[in-house]
Amino acid sequence: MDDWTSLHSQAFILTIRPGQVAEYRRRHDEIWPEMLAALRASGIVHYEIFLHEPSHCVFGHMLRTHAPDPAAPVDPVMLRWREFMADVLEMEDDQPRREAIERVFHLTA
């Protein structure tokens, strides 16, 4: 992608349950191929997760070709992944407790 300015950017923080950091890493090391396909199908072209182990928090950042549509149905594979991760992440109802992060600076080279 040559024009990064046309992409929709999202960042968030998730909290890993105490004692589950190694399991969180393991599950992402073995992420399902169908989950990767579902992420790509949702318009994600760049997705990275950073771990801050002392706080049990992860910072996620993704770039999409378009903003997500909150009214669109959630891919069944993504729903299965959320369920799979429920014992590892702090949850809010049926999805990980996710705190959005505001961008306050951006530099494009």
Side-chain angles (χ1 to χ4, degrees), residues 6-36:
S6 67
L7 297 175
H8 178 76
S9 179
Q10 282 184 295
F12 57 87
I13 293 174
L14 304 176
T15 304
I16 301 171
R17 295 181 189 273
Q20 295 295 320
V21 169
E23 183 62 16
Y24 181 86
R25 284 181 192 269
R26 186 190 70 74
R27 291 183 188 186
H28 281 82
D29 287 345
E30 300 173 3
I31 193 166
W32 312 329
E34 63 268 29
M35 182 59 176
L36 295 174

PDB file of all heavy atoms in Angstrom, residues 6-36:
ATOM      1  N   SER A   6      -4.978   7.013   3.461  1.00  0.00           N
ATOM      2  CA  SER A   6      -6.361   6.639   3.155  1.00  0.00           C
ATOM      3  C   SER A   6      -6.874   5.514   4.045  1.00  0.00           C
ATOM      4  O   SER A   6      -8.039   5.145   3.977  1.00  0.00           O
ATOM      5  CB  SER A   6      -6.467   6.214   1.687  1.00  0.00           C
ATOM      6  OG  SER A   6      -5.750   5.014   1.483  1.00  0.00           O
ATOM      7  N   LEU A   7      -6.011   4.970   4.888  1.00  0.00           N
ATOM      8  CA  LEU A   7      -6.402   3.842   5.737  1.00  0.00           C
ATOM      9  C   LEU A   7      -7.010   4.323   7.045  1.00  0.00           C
ATOM     10  O   LEU A   7      -6.652   5.374   7.574  1.00  0.00           O
ATOM     11  CB  LEU A   7      -5.193   2.957   6.020  1.00  0.00           C
ATOM     12  CG  LEU A   7      -4.571   2.297   4.791  1.00  0.00           C
ATOM     13  CD1 LEU A   7      -3.309   1.547   5.178  1.00  0.00           C
ATOM     14  CD2 LEU A   7      -5.565   1.357   4.116  1.00  0.00           C
ATOM     15  N   HIS A   8      -7.915   3.519   7.578  1.00  0.00           N
ATOM     16  CA  HIS A   8      -8.545   3.788   8.876  1.00  0.00           C
ATOM     17  C   HIS A   8      -7.688   3.145   9.971  1.00  0.00           C
ATOM     18  O   HIS A   8      -7.410   1.955   9.923  1.00  0.00           O
ATOM     19  CB  HIS A   8      -9.958   3.215   8.896  1.00  0.00           C
ATOM     20  CG  HIS A   8     -10.646   3.401  10.201  1.00  0.00           C
ATOM     21  ND1 HIS A   8     -11.162   4.615  10.593  1.00  0.00           N
ATOM     22  CD2 HIS A   8     -10.879   2.548  11.213  1.00  0.00           C
ATOM     23  CE1 HIS A   8     -11.687   4.479  11.792  1.00  0.00           C
ATOM     24  NE2 HIS A   8     -11.539   3.239  12.188  1.00  0.00           N
ATOM     25  N   SER A   9      -7.262   3.935  10.943  1.00  0.00           N
ATOM     26  CA  SER A   9      -6.383   3.458  12.016  1.00  0.00           C
ATOM     27  C   SER A   9      -7.167   3.306  13.309  1.00  0.00           C
ATOM     28  O   SER A   9      -7.995   4.156  13.644  1.00  0.00           O
ATOM     29  CB  SER A   9      -5.251   4.476  12.217  1.00  0.00           C
ATOM     30  OG  SER A   9      -4.396   4.084  13.249  1.00  0.00           O
ATOM     31  N   GLN A  10      -6.906   2.203  14.028  1.00  0.00           N
ATOM     32  CA  GLN A  10      -7.510   1.975  15.345  1.00  0.00           C
ATOM     33  C   GLN A  10      -6.430   1.476  16.294  1.00  0.00           C
ATOM     34  O   GLN A  10      -5.573   0.675  15.892  1.00  0.00           O
ATOM     35  CB  GLN A  10      -8.579   0.895  15.278  1.00  0.00           C
ATOM     36  CG  GLN A  10      -9.886   1.317  14.713  1.00  0.00           C
ATOM     37  CD  GLN A  10     -10.877   0.165  14.789  1.00  0.00           C
ATOM     38  OE1 GLN A  10     -10.693  -0.849  14.138  1.00  0.00           O
ATOM     39  NE2 GLN A  10     -11.916   0.335  15.584  1.00  0.00           N
ATOM     40  N   ALA A  11      -6.494   1.911  17.523  1.00  0.00           N
ATOM     41  CA  ALA A  11      -5.595   1.421  18.558  1.00  0.00           C
ATOM     42  C   ALA A  11      -6.404   1.159  19.818  1.00  0.00           C
ATOM     43  O   ALA A  11      -7.406   1.813  20.079  1.00  0.00           O
ATOM     44  CB  ALA A  11      -4.489   2.437  18.838  1.00  0.00           C
ATOM     45  N   PHE A  12      -5.945   0.169  20.597  1.00  0.00           N
ATOM     46  CA  PHE A  12      -6.692  -0.220  21.788  1.00  0.00           C
ATOM     47  C   PHE A  12      -5.770  -0.928  22.780  1.00  0.00           C
ATOM     48  O   PHE A  12      -4.672  -1.354  22.444  1.00  0.00           O
ATOM     49  CB  PHE A  12      -7.854  -1.143  21.415  1.00  0.00           C
ATOM     50  CG  PHE A  12      -7.416  -2.379  20.673  1.00  0.00           C
ATOM     51  CD1 PHE A  12      -7.022  -3.516  21.360  1.00  0.00           C
ATOM     52  CD2 PHE A  12      -7.376  -2.393  19.296  1.00  0.00           C
ATOM     53  CE1 PHE A  12      -6.601  -4.647  20.686  1.00  0.00           C
ATOM     54  CE2 PHE A  12      -6.968  -3.515  18.607  1.00  0.00           C
ATOM     55  CZ  PHE A  12      -6.570  -4.642  19.304  1.00  0.00           C
ATOM     56  N   ILE A  13      -6.281  -1.059  23.991  1.00  0.00           N
ATOM     57  CA  ILE A  13      -5.592  -1.796  25.047  1.00  0.00           C
ATOM     58  C   ILE A  13      -6.521  -2.912  25.526  1.00  0.00           C
ATOM     59  O   ILE A  13      -7.715  -2.691  25.727  1.00  0.00           O
ATOM     60  CB  ILE A  13      -5.231  -0.884  26.237  1.00  0.00           C
ATOM     61  CG1 ILE A  13      -4.191   0.138  25.819  1.00  0.00           C
ATOM     62  CG2 ILE A  13      -4.719  -1.707  27.420  1.00  0.00           C
ATOM     63  CD1 ILE A  13      -3.877   1.161  26.893  1.00  0.00           C
ATOM     64  N   LEU A  14      -5.960  -4.106  25.697  1.00  0.00           N
ATOM     65  CA  LEU A  14      -6.649  -5.236  26.306  1.00  0.00           C
ATOM     66  C   LEU A  14      -5.865  -5.632  27.544  1.00  0.00           C
ATOM     67  O   LEU A  14      -4.652  -5.402  27.614  1.00  0.00           O
ATOM     68  CB  LEU A  14      -6.707  -6.437  25.369  1.00  0.00           C
ATOM     69  CG  LEU A  14      -7.328  -6.254  23.996  1.00  0.00           C
ATOM     70  CD1 LEU A  14      -7.195  -7.539  23.182  1.00  0.00           C
ATOM     71  CD2 LEU A  14      -8.787  -5.855  24.105  1.00  0.00           C
ATOM     72  N   THR A  15      -6.517  -6.261  28.506  1.00  0.00           N
ATOM     73  CA  THR A  15      -5.849  -6.718  29.717  1.00  0.00           C
ATOM     74  C   THR A  15      -5.880  -8.239  29.786  1.00  0.00           C
ATOM     75  O   THR A  15      -6.941  -8.855  29.654  1.00  0.00           O
ATOM     76  CB  THR A  15      -6.518  -6.125  30.976  1.00  0.00           C
ATOM     77  OG1 THR A  15      -6.528  -4.700  30.853  1.00  0.00           O
ATOM     78  CG2 THR A  15      -5.755  -6.510  32.235  1.00  0.00           C
ATOM     79  N   ILE A  16      -4.704  -8.815  29.993  1.00  0.00           N
ATOM     80  CA  ILE A  16      -4.573 -10.266  30.126  1.00  0.00           C
ATOM     81  C   ILE A  16      -4.819 -10.631  31.580  1.00  0.00           C
ATOM     82  O   ILE A  16      -4.350  -9.961  32.503  1.00  0.00           O
ATOM     83  CB  ILE A  16      -3.158 -10.716  29.696  1.00  0.00           C
ATOM     84  CG1 ILE A  16      -2.895 -10.301  28.244  1.00  0.00           C
ATOM     85  CG2 ILE A  16      -2.986 -12.218  29.881  1.00  0.00           C
ATOM     86  CD1 ILE A  16      -1.457 -10.500  27.805  1.00  0.00           C
ATOM     87  N   ARG A  17      -5.542 -11.702  31.794  1.00  0.00           N
ATOM     88  CA  ARG A  17      -5.810 -12.164  33.159  1.00  0.00           C
ATOM     89  C   ARG A  17      -4.492 -12.554  33.847  1.00  0.00           C
ATOM     90  O   ARG A  17      -3.574 -13.051  33.187  1.00  0.00           O
ATOM     91  CB  ARG A  17      -6.763 -13.354  33.139  1.00  0.00           C
ATOM     92  CG  ARG A  17      -8.143 -13.028  32.630  1.00  0.00           C
ATOM     93  CD  ARG A  17      -9.033 -14.268  32.678  1.00  0.00           C
ATOM     94  NE  ARG A  17     -10.289 -14.049  32.002  1.00  0.00           N
ATOM     95  CZ  ARG A  17     -11.378 -13.535  32.563  1.00  0.00           C
ATOM     96  NH1 ARG A  17     -11.364 -13.186  33.831  1.00  0.00           N
ATOM     97  NH2 ARG A  17     -12.499 -13.378  31.861  1.00  0.00           N
ATOM     98  N   PRO A  18      -4.410 -12.372  35.160  1.00  0.00           N
ATOM     99  CA  PRO A  18      -3.190 -12.754  35.892  1.00  0.00           C
ATOM    100  C   PRO A  18      -2.809 -14.208  35.615  1.00  0.00           C
ATOM    101  O   PRO A  18      -3.666 -15.099  35.576  1.00  0.00           O
ATOM    102  CB  PRO A  18      -3.568 -12.546  37.354  1.00  0.00           C
ATOM    103  CG  PRO A  18      -4.652 -11.505  37.323  1.00  0.00           C
ATOM    104  CD  PRO A  18      -5.422 -11.793  36.047  1.00  0.00           C
ATOM    105  N   GLY A  19      -1.528 -14.425  35.392  1.00  0.00           N
ATOM    106  CA  GLY A  19      -1.009 -15.768  35.166  1.00  0.00           C
ATOM    107  C   GLY A  19      -1.230 -16.305  33.760  1.00  0.00           C
ATOM    108  O   GLY A  19      -0.902 -17.463  33.487  1.00  0.00           O
ATOM    109  N   GLN A  20      -1.762 -15.487  32.849  1.00  0.00           N
ATOM    110  CA  GLN A  20      -2.111 -15.969  31.511  1.00  0.00           C
ATOM    111  C   GLN A  20      -1.249 -15.393  30.381  1.00  0.00           C
ATOM    112  O   GLN A  20      -1.534 -15.630  29.209  1.00  0.00           O
ATOM    113  CB  GLN A  20      -3.581 -15.667  31.223  1.00  0.00           C
ATOM    114  CG  GLN A  20      -4.541 -16.410  32.109  1.00  0.00           C
ATOM    115  CD  GLN A  20      -4.473 -17.910  31.883  1.00  0.00           C
ATOM    116  OE1 GLN A  20      -4.358 -18.391  30.764  1.00  0.00           O
ATOM    117  NE2 GLN A  20      -4.511 -18.665  32.963  1.00  0.00           N
ATOM    118  N   VAL A  21      -0.175 -14.670  30.721  1.00  0.00           N
ATOM    119  CA  VAL A  21       0.653 -14.051  29.681  1.00  0.00           C
ATOM    120  C   VAL A  21       1.257 -15.103  28.752  1.00  0.00           C
ATOM    121  O   VAL A  21       1.210 -14.968  27.523  1.00  0.00           O
ATOM    122  CB  VAL A  21       1.753 -13.152  30.293  1.00  0.00           C
ATOM    123  CG1 VAL A  21       2.770 -12.725  29.247  1.00  0.00           C
ATOM    124  CG2 VAL A  21       1.126 -11.924  30.950  1.00  0.00           C
ATOM    125  N   ALA A  22       1.829 -16.163  29.305  1.00  0.00           N
ATOM    126  CA  ALA A  22       2.434 -17.207  28.464  1.00  0.00           C
ATOM    127  C   ALA A  22       1.397 -17.849  27.555  1.00  0.00           C
ATOM    128  O   ALA A  22       1.668 -18.122  26.378  1.00  0.00           O
ATOM    129  CB  ALA A  22       3.120 -18.260  29.334  1.00  0.00           C
ATOM    130  N   GLU A  23       0.202 -18.072  28.071  1.00  0.00           N
ATOM    131  CA  GLU A  23      -0.859 -18.673  27.262  1.00  0.00           C
ATOM    132  C   GLU A  23      -1.310 -17.710  26.163  1.00  0.00           C
ATOM    133  O   GLU A  23      -1.573 -18.122  25.027  1.00  0.00           O
ATOM    134  CB  GLU A  23      -2.042 -19.090  28.133  1.00  0.00           C
ATOM    135  CG  GLU A  23      -3.157 -19.775  27.392  1.00  0.00           C
ATOM    136  CD  GLU A  23      -2.755 -21.089  26.725  1.00  0.00           C
ATOM    137  OE1 GLU A  23      -1.699 -21.668  27.055  1.00  0.00           O
ATOM    138  OE2 GLU A  23      -3.505 -21.534  25.836  1.00  0.00           O
ATOM    139  N   TYR A  24      -1.393 -16.425  26.483  1.00  0.00           N
ATOM    140  CA  TYR A  24      -1.746 -15.421  25.481  1.00  0.00           C
ATOM    141  C   TYR A  24      -0.736 -15.452  24.329  1.00  0.00           C
ATOM    142  O   TYR A  24      -1.112 -15.475  23.158  1.00  0.00           O
ATOM    143  CB  TYR A  24      -1.797 -14.028  26.116  1.00  0.00           C
ATOM    144  CG  TYR A  24      -2.185 -12.942  25.156  1.00  0.00           C
ATOM    145  CD1 TYR A  24      -3.520 -12.647  24.918  1.00  0.00           C
ATOM    146  CD2 TYR A  24      -1.215 -12.213  24.474  1.00  0.00           C
ATOM    147  CE1 TYR A  24      -3.890 -11.646  24.023  1.00  0.00           C
ATOM    148  CE2 TYR A  24      -1.566 -11.217  23.577  1.00  0.00           C
ATOM    149  CZ  TYR A  24      -2.900 -10.937  23.359  1.00  0.00           C
ATOM    150  OH  TYR A  24      -3.245  -9.954  22.460  1.00  0.00           O
ATOM    151  N   ARG A  25       0.541 -15.477  24.675  1.00  0.00           N
ATOM    152  CA  ARG A  25       1.597 -15.557  23.645  1.00  0.00           C
ATOM    153  C   ARG A  25       1.442 -16.825  22.808  1.00  0.00           C
ATOM    154  O   ARG A  25       1.514 -16.787  21.588  1.00  0.00           O
ATOM    155  CB  ARG A  25       2.973 -15.594  24.306  1.00  0.00           C
ATOM    156  CG  ARG A  25       3.479 -14.308  24.844  1.00  0.00           C
ATOM    157  CD  ARG A  25       4.882 -14.575  25.440  1.00  0.00           C
ATOM    158  NE  ARG A  25       5.374 -13.501  26.234  1.00  0.00           N
ATOM    159  CZ  ARG A  25       6.113 -12.499  25.765  1.00  0.00           C
ATOM    160  NH1 ARG A  25       6.425 -12.453  24.495  1.00  0.00           N
ATOM    161  NH2 ARG A  25       6.540 -11.557  26.575  1.00  0.00           N
ATOM    162  N   ARG A  26       1.255 -17.967  23.479  1.00  0.00           N
ATOM    163  CA  ARG A  26       1.169 -19.251  22.794  1.00  0.00           C
ATOM    164  C   ARG A  26       0.016 -19.251  21.791  1.00  0.00           C
ATOM    165  O   ARG A  26       0.163 -19.697  20.654  1.00  0.00           O
ATOM    166  CB  ARG A  26       0.980 -20.391  23.800  1.00  0.00           C
ATOM    167  CG  ARG A  26       1.021 -21.786  23.147  1.00  0.00           C
ATOM    168  CD  ARG A  26       0.597 -22.888  24.094  1.00  0.00           C
ATOM    169  NE  ARG A  26      -0.827 -22.857  24.418  1.00  0.00           N
ATOM    170  CZ  ARG A  26      -1.807 -23.235  23.579  1.00  0.00           C
ATOM    171  NH1 ARG A  26      -1.539 -23.666  22.375  1.00  0.00           N
ATOM    172  NH2 ARG A  26      -3.076 -23.187  23.965  1.00  0.00           N
ATOM    173  N   ARG A  27      -1.122 -18.746  22.220  1.00  0.00           N
ATOM    174  CA  ARG A  27      -2.280 -18.752  21.325  1.00  0.00           C
ATOM    175  C   ARG A  27      -2.050 -17.875  20.092  1.00  0.00           C
ATOM    176  O   ARG A  27      -2.495 -18.211  19.000  1.00  0.00           O
ATOM    177  CB  ARG A  27      -3.543 -18.338  22.074  1.00  0.00           C
ATOM    178  CG  ARG A  27      -3.964 -19.387  23.075  1.00  0.00           C
ATOM    179  CD  ARG A  27      -5.241 -19.050  23.781  1.00  0.00           C
ATOM    180  NE  ARG A  27      -5.482 -20.005  24.854  1.00  0.00           N
ATOM    181  CZ  ARG A  27      -6.583 -20.029  25.578  1.00  0.00           C
ATOM    182  NH1 ARG A  27      -7.571 -19.166  25.341  1.00  0.00           N
ATOM    183  NH2 ARG A  27      -6.715 -20.910  26.556  1.00  0.00           N
ATOM    184  N   HIS A  28      -1.353 -16.777  20.259  1.00  0.00           N
ATOM    185  CA  HIS A  28      -1.065 -15.940  19.092  1.00  0.00           C
ATOM    186  C   HIS A  28       0.050 -16.543  18.227  1.00  0.00           C
ATOM    187  O   HIS A  28       0.061 -16.334  17.012  1.00  0.00           O
ATOM    188  CB  HIS A  28      -0.752 -14.503  19.519  1.00  0.00           C
ATOM    189  CG  HIS A  28      -1.991 -13.740  19.824  1.00  0.00           C
ATOM    190  ND1 HIS A  28      -2.628 -13.826  21.041  1.00  0.00           N
ATOM    191  CD2 HIS A  28      -2.744 -12.922  19.051  1.00  0.00           C
ATOM    192  CE1 HIS A  28      -3.719 -13.074  21.005  1.00  0.00           C
ATOM    193  NE2 HIS A  28      -3.817 -12.519  19.808  1.00  0.00           N
ATOM    194  N   ASP A  29       0.946 -17.277  18.839  1.00  0.00           N
ATOM    195  CA  ASP A  29       1.959 -17.996  18.046  1.00  0.00           C
ATOM    196  C   ASP A  29       1.302 -19.049  17.163  1.00  0.00           C
ATOM    197  O   ASP A  29       1.842 -19.416  16.122  1.00  0.00           O
ATOM    198  CB  ASP A  29       2.987 -18.679  18.951  1.00  0.00           C
ATOM    199  CG  ASP A  29       3.953 -17.706  19.600  1.00  0.00           C
ATOM    200  OD1 ASP A  29       4.034 -16.534  19.151  1.00  0.00           O
ATOM    201  OD2 ASP A  29       4.628 -18.106  20.575  1.00  0.00           O
ATOM    202  N   GLU A  30       0.156 -19.545  17.599  1.00  0.00           N
ATOM    203  CA  GLU A  30      -0.553 -20.612  16.884  1.00  0.00           C
ATOM    204  C   GLU A  30      -1.896 -20.131  16.326  1.00  0.00           C
ATOM    205  O   GLU A  30      -2.839 -20.913  16.208  1.00  0.00           O
ATOM    206  CB  GLU A  30      -0.771 -21.793  17.840  1.00  0.00           C
ATOM    207  CG  GLU A  30       0.514 -22.374  18.384  1.00  0.00           C
ATOM    208  CD  GLU A  30       0.305 -23.429  19.465  1.00  0.00           C
ATOM    209  OE1 GLU A  30      -0.853 -23.773  19.774  1.00  0.00           O
ATOM    210  OE2 GLU A  30       1.320 -23.892  20.005  1.00  0.00           O
ATOM    211  N   ILE A  31      -1.971 -18.852  15.986  1.00  0.00           N
ATOM    212  CA  ILE A  31      -3.242 -18.292  15.507  1.00  0.00           C
ATOM    213  C   ILE A  31      -3.768 -19.094  14.318  1.00  0.00           C
ATOM    214  O   ILE A  31      -3.009 -19.553  13.476  1.00  0.00           O
ATOM    215  CB  ILE A  31      -3.097 -16.789  15.159  1.00  0.00           C
ATOM    216  CG1 ILE A  31      -4.467 -16.144  14.975  1.00  0.00           C
ATOM    217  CG2 ILE A  31      -2.175 -16.579  13.992  1.00  0.00           C
ATOM    218  CD1 ILE A  31      -4.437 -14.631  14.956  1.00  0.00           C
ATOM    219  N   TRP A  32      -5.050 -19.305  14.309  1.00  0.00           N
ATOM    220  CA  TRP A  32      -5.688 -20.121  13.283  1.00  0.00           C
ATOM    221  C   TRP A  32      -5.576 -19.449  11.911  1.00  0.00           C
ATOM    222  O   TRP A  32      -5.824 -18.252  11.782  1.00  0.00           O
ATOM    223  CB  TRP A  32      -7.164 -20.310  13.575  1.00  0.00           C
ATOM    224  CG  TRP A  32      -7.526 -20.707  14.963  1.00  0.00           C
ATOM    225  CD1 TRP A  32      -6.783 -21.467  15.831  1.00  0.00           C
ATOM    226  CD2 TRP A  32      -8.732 -20.381  15.647  1.00  0.00           C
ATOM    227  NE1 TRP A  32      -7.470 -21.640  16.999  1.00  0.00           N
ATOM    228  CE2 TRP A  32      -8.671 -20.977  16.915  1.00  0.00           C
ATOM    229  CE3 TRP A  32      -9.856 -19.650  15.293  1.00  0.00           C
ATOM    230  CZ2 TRP A  32      -9.693 -20.864  17.844  1.00  0.00           C
ATOM    231  CZ3 TRP A  32     -10.875 -19.523  16.217  1.00  0.00           C
ATOM    232  CH2 TRP A  32     -10.789 -20.125  17.473  1.00  0.00           C
ATOM    233  N   PRO A  33      -5.285 -20.212  10.879  1.00  0.00           N
ATOM    234  CA  PRO A  33      -5.265 -19.644   9.524  1.00  0.00           C
ATOM    235  C   PRO A  33      -6.608 -19.009   9.142  1.00  0.00           C
ATOM    236  O   PRO A  33      -6.648 -17.966   8.488  1.00  0.00           O
ATOM    237  CB  PRO A  33      -4.948 -20.847   8.631  1.00  0.00           C
ATOM    238  CG  PRO A  33      -4.246 -21.806   9.536  1.00  0.00           C
ATOM    239  CD  PRO A  33      -4.847 -21.602  10.904  1.00  0.00           C
ATOM    240  N   GLU A  34      -7.704 -19.616   9.590  1.00  0.00           N
ATOM    241  CA  GLU A  34      -9.015 -19.042   9.265  1.00  0.00           C
ATOM    242  C   GLU A  34      -9.259 -17.717   9.990  1.00  0.00           C
ATOM    243  O   GLU A  34     -10.021 -16.868   9.516  1.00  0.00           O
ATOM    244  CB  GLU A  34     -10.159 -20.038   9.504  1.00  0.00           C
ATOM    245  CG  GLU A  34     -10.324 -20.482  10.937  1.00  0.00           C
ATOM    246  CD  GLU A  34      -9.560 -21.751  11.313  1.00  0.00           C
ATOM    247  OE1 GLU A  34      -8.501 -22.033  10.732  1.00  0.00           O
ATOM    248  OE2 GLU A  34     -10.042 -22.457  12.216  1.00  0.00           O
ATOM    249  N   MET A  35      -8.599 -17.515  11.142  1.00  0.00           N
ATOM    250  CA  MET A  35      -8.701 -16.222  11.825  1.00  0.00           C
ATOM    251  C   MET A  35      -7.939 -15.163  11.045  1.00  0.00           C
ATOM    252  O   MET A  35      -8.418 -14.032  10.881  1.00  0.00           O
ATOM    253  CB  MET A  35      -8.177 -16.336  13.266  1.00  0.00           C
ATOM    254  CG  MET A  35      -8.299 -15.064  14.058  1.00  0.00           C
ATOM    255  SD  MET A  35     -10.004 -14.479  14.177  1.00  0.00           S
ATOM    256  CE  MET A  35      -9.796 -13.084  15.249  1.00  0.00           C
ATOM    257  N   LEU A  36      -6.759 -15.509  10.552  1.00  0.00           N
ATOM    258  CA  LEU A  36      -6.007 -14.568   9.730  1.00  0.00           C
ATOM    259  C   LEU A  36      -6.814 -14.183   8.493  1.00  0.00           C
ATOM    260  O   LEU A  36      -6.872 -13.009   8.118  1.00  0.00           O
ATOM    261  CB  LEU A  36      -4.658 -15.167   9.328  1.00  0.00           C
ATOM    262  CG  LEU A  36      -3.685 -15.438  10.474  1.00  0.00           C
ATOM    263  CD1 LEU A  36      -2.444 -16.162   9.956  1.00  0.00           C
ATOM    264  CD2 LEU A  36      -3.307 -14.150  11.187  1.00  0.00           C
TER     265      LEU A  36
END
